[in-house]
Every structure is written in C-alpha cells, then in structure tokens.
C-alpha cells in the first residue's frame, strides 16, 4: 500500500502572533481548497502551540480528522520534576501536539545533545503518544570525509537501542547539516542513497520498517520538492525556510500529494 507523504514545517525561532496568523490563515485556506492527499504538520515555538492548536482544530476534514497537525520543535528527555526550562511530553500532549522534532542538528550543535539524549527524548514522546521526528545527518566535514553513512547509522542506532520495537512508530528525517538553510540541497540521488541505508537499518530492527516515514530536510523548496519527493525512499520533507512562506509551503504540499 502506498503511504501518504508527510510535509512538516519547522519554523525554528521565528514568528509573532500577527505573522503566524497571516501565515496560518493562508495555509489553512489553501489546504481547505485543495484537500491535499498528504499529511501536514507545522512545528512551532512553544509559546505559539496554543495559537496553532486552534488551526489544527479548524482544519478537520469530512471524517473529523485534522488535515493540519500541530508539532513542537523539542521535548524533554525527562518525565517531570526539577528541570527548569524544560517542557515535558505529557504537557505537549495536553495541547494535542501530534509531532515533536528531536535531535535537530541545531540542537545537537548548539546545545550539545548527544545521540543517547536524543534517543531518550524520542522515548518520552512515544510514551506520551506523540510521534517524534528524529533528525539525523552529517556535517560538511563529515560529508567531505566520506563519513555520511557511518554518522547517520550511529545516530539512528542509538534511537533503535533505546526504543526497541517502538522504532516503527517514529518518523525519521535525514537532514545533511551542510544543506540546512544554505540553499545547497542534496541531489535526489544523494538523498535517496542515504534514505536507502536508513531503511535497511530499520529493516534489521523491525518488520514494520516500510511503515516508517523517512523525510528529507535541507533547503527543500517549491522548485526542488517534486524531484526529491519522487525518490522511492523519500516519504516527505522537513521544511525550514520555505515553511514560513505560505505559497511555497503549499506548493511543496501539492508536490507531495501526487
Ligand atoms: P531549511 O531547514 O529548509 O531552511 O534548510 C530545514 C530544517 O532545518 O529542518
């Protein structure tokens, strides 16, 4: 069975109540008009979850399912307690958050998140009924040193180790760090090759590996989305910059709906 693709926006640390409203009004109008045949999520900063939750509620299709899902950009590795500044998975679940990005390269790089910590964050999300979007990807130096495969396999292995058979419930995102926000996208062939490696690793861990959506992220935009999404193991996109422009995000959604 062909699985629906997932297009997830990652706003990063951008937005304001006014700008979010303009963006989301346009996205919701576009989605309602076209009823796209893909899943859609927007991963927003914590203070805007309640604002965007309203759009999730308003986006219900004829069967009552939301067409637009709410996502967070991080989640604590802890359940509850003395962790100042952290937000737990159960708190996110109370806001009907469906997805949480974990292990984004910006968190690995600027907040020194280890593979083990990322795996624990994924575990907390899963336990609360939230789908973690687990990011993996190599830096430019690792890419140039020919270490792409070994890096992404090490990052995924930690998540498999901690989460066991639940690994079939995650979404995986391959985001080469050198392609994020740089305008330099991996070619569809380059991305597909890494996705195939990740799929094989998932297959060794679960009989449901084909169910796992593997997204590509890193300068995916309105112009290159169709060719990337046309690859057999690319099941969607994690979209940064282009998710802040409604026409571009809607074009990517359309490309994922063919
Ligand atoms: P980008 O970001 O689309 O702006 O490259 C992707 C991401 O970091 O998730």
């Amino acid at each position: 069975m062909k699985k629906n693709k997932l297009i997830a926006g990652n706003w990063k640390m951008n937005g304001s109540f006014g700008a979010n409203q303009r963006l989301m009004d346009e996205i919701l109008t576009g989605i309602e008009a076209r009823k796209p045949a893909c899943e859609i999520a927007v991963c927003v900063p914590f203070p805007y979850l309640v604002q965007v939750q309203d759009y999730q509620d308003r986006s219900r299709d004829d069967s009552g399912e939301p067409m637009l899902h709410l996502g967070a950009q991080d989640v604590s590795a802890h359940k509850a307690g003395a962790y100042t500044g952290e937000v737990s998975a159960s708190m996110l679940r109370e806001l009907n958050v469906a997805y949480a990005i974990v292990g984004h390269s910006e968190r690995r790089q600027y907040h020194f998140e280890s593979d083990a910590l990322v795996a624990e964050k994924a575990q907390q999300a899963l336990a609360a009924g939230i789908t973690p979007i687990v990011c993996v990807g190599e830096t430019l130096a690792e890419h140039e040193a020919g270490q792409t495969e070994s890096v992404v396999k090490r990052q995924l292995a930690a998540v498999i180790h901690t989460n066991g058979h639940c690994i079939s419930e995650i979404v995986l995102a391959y985001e080469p760090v050198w392609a994020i926000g740089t305008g330099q996208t991996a070619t569809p062939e380059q991305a597909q090759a890494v996705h195939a490696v990740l799929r094989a690793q998932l297959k060794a861990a679960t009989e449901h590996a084909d169910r796992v959506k593997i997204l590509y992220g890193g300068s995916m935009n309105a112009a290159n989305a169709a060719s990337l999404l046309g690859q057999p193991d690319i099941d969607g996109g994690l979209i940064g910059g282009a998710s802040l422009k409604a026409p571009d995000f809607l074009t990517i959604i359309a490309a994922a709906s063919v």
Side-chain angles (χ1 to χ4, degrees):
M1 198 187 79
K2 190 167 167 279
K3 56 180 179 273
N4 279 348
K5 291 191 166 35
L6 168 64
I7 298 300
N10 173 13
W11 290 3
K12 309 194 179 186
M13 199 172 72
N14 292 295
S16 67
F17 283 129
N20 303 344
Q21 187 179 347
R22 286 189 292 278
L23 177 65
M24 292 307 299
D25 281 348
E26 207 177 326
I27 290 173
L28 187 60
T29 304
I31 291 172
E32 281 172 341
R34 299 180 209 172
K35 302 243 180 327
C38 72
E39 287 171 33
I40 304 161
V42 281
C43 300
V44 308
F46 292 131
Y48 300 135
L49 286 171
V50 173
Q51 185 188 15
V52 178
Q53 184 192 22
D54 181 52
Y55 287 88
Q56 174 172 256
D57 290 343
R58 283 161 53 196
S59 76
R60 293 185 192 280
D61 62 16
D62 299 341
S63 62
E65 284 298 312
M67 291 188 282
L68 185 92
H69 290 93
L70 182 60
Q73 296 174 12
D74 192 19
V75 63
S76 178
H78 305 285
K79 209 172 161 58
Y83 301 102
T84 303
E86 295 275 274
V87 175
S88 74
S90 63
M91 292 171 188
L92 295 178
R93 196 55 220 157
E94 280 197 306
L95 291 170
N96 294 323
V97 165
Y99 294 97
I101 297 173
V102 299
H104 190 279
S105 63
E106 286 149 18
R107 296 216 56 90
R108 293 181 189 261
Q109 202 176 338
Y110 308 141
H111 302 273
F112 312 106
E113 294 196 2
S114 66
D115 295 339
L117 183 79
V118 172
E120 283 166 21
K121 289 184 170 196
Q123 189 176 37
Q124 285 297 326
L126 286 167
I130 293 170
T131 303
I133 301 178
V134 178
C135 301
V136 299
E138 82 286 6
T139 63
L140 180 61
E142 290 162 342
H143 181 69
E144 287 175 343
Q147 294 167 346
T148 300
E149 265 196 37
S150 63
V151 169
V152 298
K153 281 167 102 171
R154 187 202 72 221
Q155 292 171 332
L156 177 56
V159 185
I160 293 172
H161 175 76
T162 302
N163 291 278
H165 68 272
C166 292
I167 199 70
S168 63
E169 306 300 320
I170 73 164
V171 167
L172 190 58
Y174 169 55
E175 297 206 305
V177 180
W178 48 270
I180 294 177
T182 59
Q184 199 190 335
T185 322
T187 64
E189 295 73 26
Q190 269 176 326
Q192 166 57 29
V194 179
H195 281 229
V197 166
L198 294 169
R199 182 84 63 202
Q201 190 177 0
L202 288 168
K203 279 199 170 130
T206 170
E207 58 188 286
H208 303 300
D210 285 329
R211 221 194 263 168
V212 178
K213 288 186 173 72
I214 310 181
L215 316 183
Y216 169 80
S219 298
M220 192 188 272
N221 58 38
N224 62 26
S227 58
L228 286 158
L229 294 167
Q231 298 297 314
D233 285 296
I234 300 188
D235 305 313
L238 184 54
I239 321 293
S243 73
L244 297 170
K245 297 179 213 129
D248 294 27
F249 195 52
L250 289 167
T251 302
I252 298 170
I253 288 168
S257 302
V258 291

mmCIF file of all heavy atoms in Angstrom, residues 212-229:
data_model
loop_
_atom_site.group_PDB
_atom_site.id
_atom_site.type_symbol
_atom_site.label_atom_id
_atom_site.label_comp_id
_atom_site.label_asym_id
_atom_site.label_seq_id
_atom_site.Cartn_x
_atom_site.Cartn_y
_atom_site.Cartn_z
ATOM 1 N N VAL A 212 7.676 3.196 8.348
ATOM 2 C CA VAL A 212 8.346 4.391 8.877
ATOM 3 C C VAL A 212 8.536 5.422 7.760
ATOM 4 O O VAL A 212 9.090 5.109 6.706
ATOM 5 C CB VAL A 212 9.720 4.032 9.487
ATOM 6 C CG1 VAL A 212 10.446 5.291 9.989
ATOM 7 C CG2 VAL A 212 9.559 3.020 10.608
ATOM 8 N N LYS A 213 8.085 6.635 8.006
ATOM 9 C CA LYS A 213 8.298 7.695 7.028
ATOM 10 C C LYS A 213 9.705 8.262 7.229
ATOM 11 O O LYS A 213 10.075 8.620 8.351
ATOM 12 C CB LYS A 213 7.269 8.814 7.217
ATOM 13 C CG LYS A 213 5.860 8.444 6.783
ATOM 14 C CD LYS A 213 4.966 9.671 6.883
ATOM 15 C CE LYS A 213 3.594 9.437 6.302
ATOM 16 N NZ LYS A 213 2.709 8.580 7.040
ATOM 17 N N ILE A 214 10.451 8.331 6.136
ATOM 18 C CA ILE A 214 11.780 8.943 6.185
ATOM 19 C C ILE A 214 11.715 10.241 5.365
ATOM 20 O O ILE A 214 11.531 10.200 4.145
ATOM 21 C CB ILE A 214 12.878 8.006 5.646
ATOM 22 C CG1 ILE A 214 12.796 6.611 6.290
ATOM 23 C CG2 ILE A 214 14.255 8.620 5.874
ATOM 24 C CD1 ILE A 214 13.868 5.621 5.814
ATOM 25 N N LEU A 215 11.815 11.376 6.074
ATOM 26 C CA LEU A 215 11.720 12.684 5.429
ATOM 27 C C LEU A 215 13.103 13.161 5.012
ATOM 28 O O LEU A 215 14.099 12.814 5.646
ATOM 29 C CB LEU A 215 11.116 13.724 6.392
ATOM 30 C CG LEU A 215 9.889 13.328 7.221
ATOM 31 C CD1 LEU A 215 9.431 14.546 8.050
ATOM 32 C CD2 LEU A 215 8.769 12.827 6.334
ATOM 33 N N TYR A 216 13.140 13.987 3.978
ATOM 34 C CA TYR A 216 14.377 14.684 3.651
ATOM 35 C C TYR A 216 14.232 16.131 4.119
ATOM 36 O O TYR A 216 13.160 16.729 3.972
ATOM 37 C CB TYR A 216 14.670 14.665 2.142
ATOM 38 C CG TYR A 216 15.798 15.618 1.816
ATOM 39 C CD1 TYR A 216 17.126 15.238 2.041
ATOM 40 C CD2 TYR A 216 15.546 16.920 1.392
ATOM 41 C CE1 TYR A 216 18.164 16.133 1.836
ATOM 42 C CE2 TYR A 216 16.578 17.824 1.183
ATOM 43 C CZ TYR A 216 17.881 17.412 1.410
ATOM 44 O OH TYR A 216 18.914 18.312 1.232
ATOM 45 N N GLY A 217 15.292 16.711 4.654
ATOM 46 C CA GLY A 217 15.278 18.121 5.026
ATOM 47 C C GLY A 217 16.610 18.768 4.702
ATOM 48 O O GLY A 217 17.667 18.124 4.800
ATOM 49 N N GLY A 218 16.549 20.023 4.335
ATOM 50 C CA GLY A 218 17.772 20.760 3.983
ATOM 51 C C GLY A 218 17.552 21.478 2.670
ATOM 52 O O GLY A 218 17.750 20.899 1.604
ATOM 53 N N SER A 219 17.084 22.744 2.780
ATOM 54 C CA SER A 219 16.836 23.570 1.598
ATOM 55 C C SER A 219 15.846 22.942 0.615
ATOM 56 O O SER A 219 15.964 23.152 -0.591
ATOM 57 C CB SER A 219 18.156 23.933 0.899
ATOM 58 O OG SER A 219 18.971 24.689 1.766
ATOM 59 N N MET A 220 14.888 22.156 1.122
ATOM 60 C CA MET A 220 13.816 21.719 0.227
ATOM 61 C C MET A 220 12.927 22.941 -0.017
ATOM 62 O O MET A 220 12.621 23.686 0.919
ATOM 63 C CB MET A 220 12.992 20.571 0.815
ATOM 64 C CG MET A 220 12.073 19.946 -0.238
ATOM 65 S SD MET A 220 10.892 18.731 0.416
ATOM 66 C CE MET A 220 11.820 17.223 0.359
ATOM 67 N N ASN A 221 12.569 23.158 -1.271
ATOM 68 C CA ASN A 221 11.772 24.348 -1.590
ATOM 69 C C ASN A 221 10.765 24.038 -2.698
ATOM 70 O O ASN A 221 10.688 22.892 -3.171
ATOM 71 C CB ASN A 221 12.697 25.519 -1.966
ATOM 72 C CG ASN A 221 13.606 25.179 -3.144
ATOM 73 O OD1 ASN A 221 13.186 24.503 -4.090
ATOM 74 N ND2 ASN A 221 14.843 25.644 -3.087
ATOM 75 N N ALA A 222 10.044 25.087 -3.112
ATOM 76 C CA ALA A 222 8.973 24.883 -4.098
ATOM 77 C C ALA A 222 9.531 24.352 -5.413
ATOM 78 O O ALA A 222 8.855 23.604 -6.127
ATOM 79 C CB ALA A 222 8.238 26.203 -4.319
ATOM 80 N N ALA A 223 10.768 24.708 -5.741
ATOM 81 C CA ALA A 223 11.332 24.318 -7.034
ATOM 82 C C ALA A 223 11.896 22.895 -7.039
ATOM 83 O O ALA A 223 11.824 22.200 -8.062
ATOM 84 C CB ALA A 223 12.429 25.305 -7.420
ATOM 85 N N ASN A 224 12.452 22.445 -5.909
ATOM 86 C CA ASN A 224 13.118 21.132 -5.944
ATOM 87 C C ASN A 224 12.316 20.025 -5.256
ATOM 88 O O ASN A 224 12.734 18.859 -5.274
ATOM 89 C CB ASN A 224 14.534 21.231 -5.337
ATOM 90 C CG ASN A 224 14.513 21.646 -3.864
ATOM 91 O OD1 ASN A 224 13.542 21.412 -3.153
ATOM 92 N ND2 ASN A 224 15.591 22.263 -3.406
ATOM 93 N N ALA A 225 11.170 20.370 -4.645
ATOM 94 C CA ALA A 225 10.445 19.369 -3.848
ATOM 95 C C ALA A 225 10.022 18.159 -4.679
ATOM 96 O O ALA A 225 10.199 17.009 -4.251
ATOM 97 C CB ALA A 225 9.220 20.016 -3.201
ATOM 98 N N ALA A 226 9.484 18.409 -5.879
ATOM 99 C CA ALA A 226 8.925 17.296 -6.660
ATOM 100 C C ALA A 226 9.991 16.250 -6.977
ATOM 101 O O ALA A 226 9.740 15.040 -6.864
ATOM 102 C CB ALA A 226 8.288 17.821 -7.939
ATOM 103 N N SER A 227 11.193 16.685 -7.341
ATOM 104 C CA SER A 227 12.213 15.698 -7.713
ATOM 105 C C SER A 227 12.705 14.931 -6.488
ATOM 106 O O SER A 227 12.958 13.716 -6.559
ATOM 107 C CB SER A 227 13.375 16.350 -8.456
ATOM 108 O OG SER A 227 13.944 17.355 -7.665
ATOM 109 N N LEU A 228 12.811 15.608 -5.349
ATOM 110 C CA LEU A 228 13.223 14.885 -4.129
ATOM 111 C C LEU A 228 12.130 13.911 -3.693
ATOM 112 O O LEU A 228 12.404 12.746 -3.371
ATOM 113 C CB LEU A 228 13.515 15.887 -3.004
ATOM 114 C CG LEU A 228 14.832 16.664 -3.145
ATOM 115 C CD1 LEU A 228 14.792 17.954 -2.344
ATOM 116 C CD2 LEU A 228 16.018 15.801 -2.712
ATOM 117 N N LEU A 229 10.876 14.379 -3.723
ATOM 118 C CA LEU A 229 9.764 13.547 -3.238
ATOM 119 C C LEU A 229 9.460 12.398 -4.200
ATOM 120 O O LEU A 229 8.719 11.475 -3.851
ATOM 121 C CB LEU A 229 8.516 14.416 -3.028
ATOM 122 C CG LEU A 229 8.650 15.457 -1.901
ATOM 123 C CD1 LEU A 229 7.514 16.469 -1.954
ATOM 124 C CD2 LEU A 229 8.687 14.774 -0.537
#
